[in-house]
Amino acid sequence: MEMEKLSLVVPCYNEEQSIPLFFAAVEKIRTALTNTTIEYIFVNDGSRDHTLTVLREMAKDYPDSIRYLSFSRNFGKEAALYAGLEHATGDYVAVMDVDLQDPPELLPQMLHLIRDESYDCVGTRRINRTGEPPIRSFLAKEFYRVMNRISDVKFVDGARDYRLMTRQMVDAVLSMTEVNRFSKGIFSWVGFDTKYLEFENKERVAGKSSWSVWSLFKYSLDAIVDFSDIPLALASFVGLASFIIAVFFMIVIVIRTVLFDDPTAGWPSLVTIILAIGGLQLFCLGIVGKYLGKTYLETKKRPIYILKETDKKQKK
Ligand code: UDP
Ligand code: MG
């Protein structure tokens, strides 16, 4: 069997402590990957610590296997993944976090599933969320429930971005050049036979998570807008429902006035209704605005990331 290349795409944002630990952990399982060379592609996503210095050093020490890309600013993990996939040259490509929450020990099994059982992709999901604030787990669970109801694309609860893909699938992912990238949705959208491996949640080895509950909440709203147009339909549904209710009450008022000659009192209820309808209108307008905003950004066709430095072209 000839040698095949496995590329590991690793986004890093303020991870100076985790990177060496990650590298050591992967090197430890290296012998379990038969007939495989590893290419590391670290993507420095505008870190404010010494991540870039660490990467430069490592690329110098291991010029054959370690490559890095460094952005001009923080573009977000999704952009980092895209850049990494674009530069990966392997026959197989895995994307994984650098904080060792994605256990490298799974790699041999993942590779085996793709090579010998002809899957196109092996994903991973954690079966528990120990070490995470309960509120975060609850919100995440609800997000997957809602998302699966309102989108045609399937989302696996607890699925991580950690996955191994064939070259063919990587090219499919790269063909989706949208600026608003929600990787979980994109990986699912492109299709292909995917097998999910399960593992117990791990806490990160060093550094801290760059996600707060609030940023995750905003992220999930973006994901919904990126992969579902149900909210748009919801706007018309709410409008229609309130219109029907209004007609019903109109009829009631007319009948009541004709039959009972009712001297109408109660402007407070009127004000309440006006406020409620006004609020609904603004809410629906907001939904439309959100989609319009996304469309606006897409039509600008801005690049997904901007490189400042790579292992080939070092800034002096
Ligand atoms: N990350 C990134 N850019 C960002 C935020 C995070 O490249 O703007 C990377 C980070 O270095 C890590 C991975 O994405 O390798 C996952 O981030 P984190 O561990 O903070 O997320 P969590 O595991 O808490 O969901
Ligand atoms: Mg993490």
Side-chain angles (χ1 to χ4, degrees), residues 97 99 101 160 204:
D97 290 358
D99 56 9
Q101 282 187 304
R160 299 196 45 92
R204 50 164 47 245

Side-chain angles (χ1 to χ4, degrees), residues 259-310:
L259 292 187
F260 305 107
D261 187 27
D262 184 37
T264 307
W267 67 271
S269 54
L270 204 64
V271 170
T272 316
I273 292 166
I274 291 173
L275 281 180
I277 303 286
L280 279 179
Q281 279 177 332
L282 284 180
F283 174 69
C284 295
L285 204 63
I287 294 177
V288 178
K290 187 87 188 148
Y291 281 86
L292 188 66
K294 293 255 174 190
T295 316
Y296 177 61
L297 276 182
E298 292 292 349
T299 55
K300 285 189 177 194
K301 295 215 182 302
R302 285 179 181 161
I304 296 170
Y305 61 89
I306 291 179
L307 278 184
K308 186 173 165 197
E309 177 185 325
T310 70

Side-chain angles (χ1 to χ4, degrees), residues 11-13 15 45 74 76-77 80 97-99 101 136 160 204 208-211:
C12 310
Y13 177 57
E15 303 279 11
D45 184 14
N74 179 251
K77 182 182 173 184
D97 290 358
V98 71
D99 56 9
Q101 282 187 304
R136 197 166 149 170
R160 299 196 45 92
R204 50 164 47 245
K208 60 180 202 308
S209 171
S210 33
W211 294 90

